Amino acid sequence: MEGHSILCYNKIMSNILLIGKDFPDSLDFAEGLAQGGNLVFTSQKSEGDNSRFESEGIFTTNWNKSSSISAHSLIIKAETKFTNTDNIIFYFDSSYFCNQFELDKTEEVTEATDNMITAYLYSAGEALKRINQRKEKITVTFLLREYPSKTDIL
């Protein structure tokens, strides 16, 4: 199924923690999930008032991606907002990250690593710990949007 994406999640009104792309860059994806009758909790790119999206079922918070404590806090904030989280979606958008960082610059390597690797390791580890503590069924989805290869472009 090359070129197509399939996303499965609990069909009944779900509370979704979306990890990966920061808000507002994840707005289209979050709106699509919210329009399906879901509540979405995600990280935001910078300090700001995103309360206008709460009426759509989209909630945001800050997240320091280079901190395991902040990853833990992100998960706890989602649980506090929703009482329980039914779905966790780890969304890795290759194109988004490739356009965000110029890895030929040494000063950007650390930030890129924090955003593309460390953030996912910390949040996945914290999510697994929390799932084990709560003993509840949670759907965990890893969603990859691949960067087009040179062959795809030609």
Side-chain angles (χ1 to χ4, degrees):
M1 292 191 52
E2 200 169 310
H4 299 283
S5 298
I6 298 174
L7 176 63
C8 301
Y9 57 90
N10 291 337
K11 188 65 178 156
I12 302 172
M13 178 78 165
S14 295
N15 300 324
I16 299 173
L17 173 57
L18 177 59
I19 297 173
K21 237 176 163 176
D22 290 325
F23 198 84
D25 296 332
S26 63
L27 177 61
D28 290 341
F29 191 57
E31 281 182 331
L33 293 169
Q35 287 172 0
N38 303 293
L39 297 175
V40 180
F41 194 90
T42 190
S43 60
Q44 61 191 27
K45 194 174 237 181
S46 59
E47 291 284 339
D49 183 18
N50 293 317
S51 60
R52 66 177 186 243
F53 295 101
E54 290 182 5
S55 63
E56 294 180 42
I58 301 170
F59 306 89
T60 63
T61 192
N62 294 321
W63 176 27
N64 176 359
K65 292 184 175 186
S66 63
S67 166
S68 63
I69 294 170
S70 189
H72 178 80
S73 177
L74 175 70
I75 292 164
I76 297 300
K77 286 178 183 178
E79 286 181 355
T80 302
K81 187 69 177 175
F82 297 149
T83 309
N84 67 330
T85 302
D86 305 312
N87 293 279
I88 299 174
I89 298 175
F90 291 93
Y91 181 31
F92 190 93
D93 185 343
S94 299
S95 178
Y96 169 74
F97 287 122
C98 286
N99 292 325
Q100 192 174 4
F101 301 106
E102 294 180 39
L103 294 180
D104 58 339
K105 295 181 179 178
T106 307
E107 60 272 11
E108 289 194 6
V109 171
T110 302
E111 184 182 357
T113 301
D114 286 346
N115 279 276
M116 292 189 286
I117 299 169
T118 308
Y120 288 90
L121 290 173
Y122 287 153
S123 57
E126 291 299 326
L128 291 172
K129 281 187 215 173
R130 198 68 186 136
I131 291 168
N132 192 40
Q133 288 172 348
R134 292 185 63 117
K135 306 286 188 219
E136 295 174 358
K137 291 184 180 183
I138 296 176
T139 302
V140 178
T141 306
F142 294 89
L143 181 63
L144 170 65
R145 180 176 177 213
E146 292 181 324
Y147 192 74
S149 67
K150 289 181 182 180
T151 307
D152 294 336
I153 294 171
L154 298 175

